[in-house]
């Protein structure tokens, strides 16, 4: 897709959160009404006929588009959060990131086997975070699971897409 307006508005921050990491900051896309509309239109087009019943937004930037797209598709939102942020019983999955180890959790009653789930996160780098979310979702045995990102990083030798070889995955920007 690589919409030129989105590419123009995506901010790059070198050496964040640590030296050697070139951070892609999607908050510059969120603050633009034009970019929000473009992203929502593209994502709605991708998923409008898939029967999505739940969108899992991954902490925390994934929450923004998950909620907005859910409103358009008429489905629910599930939050995949860092430990200690969800108030009820959870299941959890730990994973490696480019700069450490982390864990995410989902409420134990968030998804049913009747659901068709879209996992959304802002960025695909190594794929650890989204794969952890995918593993959590699979615990519930939904009918189908899709994965979507705003940005996929391919220019730094990262191979996050390799984690999703047999999973239907889309991205709005590939850089």
């Amino acid at each position: 897709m690589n919409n030129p307006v989105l590419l123009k508005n995506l901010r790059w921050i070198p050496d964040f959160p640590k030296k050697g990491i070139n951070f892609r900051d999607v908050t510059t896309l969120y603050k633009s009404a034009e970019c929000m509309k473009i992203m929502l239109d593209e994502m709605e087009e991708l998923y409008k006929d898939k029967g999505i019943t739940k969108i899992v937004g991954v902490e925390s930037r994934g929450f923004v588009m998950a909620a907005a797209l859910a409103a358009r598709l008429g489905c629910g939102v599930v939050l995949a959060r860092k430990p200690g942020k969800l108030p009820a019983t959870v299941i959890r999955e730990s994973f490696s990131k480019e700069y450490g180890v982390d864990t995410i959790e989902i409420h134990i009653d968030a998804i049913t086997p009747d659901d068709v789930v879209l996992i959304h996160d802002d960025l695909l780098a190594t794929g650890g975070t989204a794969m952890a979310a995918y593993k959590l979702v699979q615990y519930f045995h939904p009918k189908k699971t899709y994965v979507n990102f705003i940005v996929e990083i391919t220019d730094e030798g990262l191979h996050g897409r390799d984690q999703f070889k047999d999973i239907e995955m889309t991205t709005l920007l590939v850089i």
Side-chain angles (χ1 to χ4, degrees), residues 91-164:
I91 56 171
R92 67 177 49 189
E93 184 74 29
S94 294
F95 58 96
S96 296
K97 296 171 65 169
E98 333 48 317
Y99 42 85
V101 175
D102 214 340
T103 301
I104 58 172
E105 301 176 336
I106 292 179
H107 278 137
I108 195 77
D109 61 354
I111 298 168
T112 73
D114 291 327
D115 283 318
V116 176
V117 178
L118 171 61
I119 298 168
H120 172 75
D121 202 0
D122 67 321
L123 185 75
L124 173 61
T126 64
T129 306
M131 183 49 69
Y134 181 82
K135 288 176 182 176
L136 286 174
V137 168
Q138 295 317 295
Y139 169 85
F140 300 99
H141 306 287
K143 288 180 182 177
K144 177 78 175 167
T145 306
Y146 302 93
V147 181
N148 171 265
F149 302 92
I150 296 170
V151 178
E152 178 182 357
I153 300 172
T154 61
D155 65 349
E156 295 187 15
L158 300 172
H159 302 283
R161 181 172 284 274
D162 293 350
Q163 298 233 20
F164 300 95

Side-chain angles (χ1 to χ4, degrees), residues 40 52-81 86 106-107 109-111 115-120 137:
L40 275 171
I52 305 295
T53 58
K54 302 272 176 64
I55 300 177
V56 174
V58 180
E59 174 110 11
S60 65
R61 291 175 305 273
F63 298 167
V64 175
M65 296 307 294
L69 184 60
R72 283 224 185 151
L73 296 180
C75 64
V77 175
V78 173
L79 303 181
R81 302 233 35 208
L86 294 171
I106 292 179
H107 278 137
D109 61 354
I111 298 168
D115 283 318
V116 176
V117 178
L118 171 61
I119 298 168
H120 172 75
V137 168

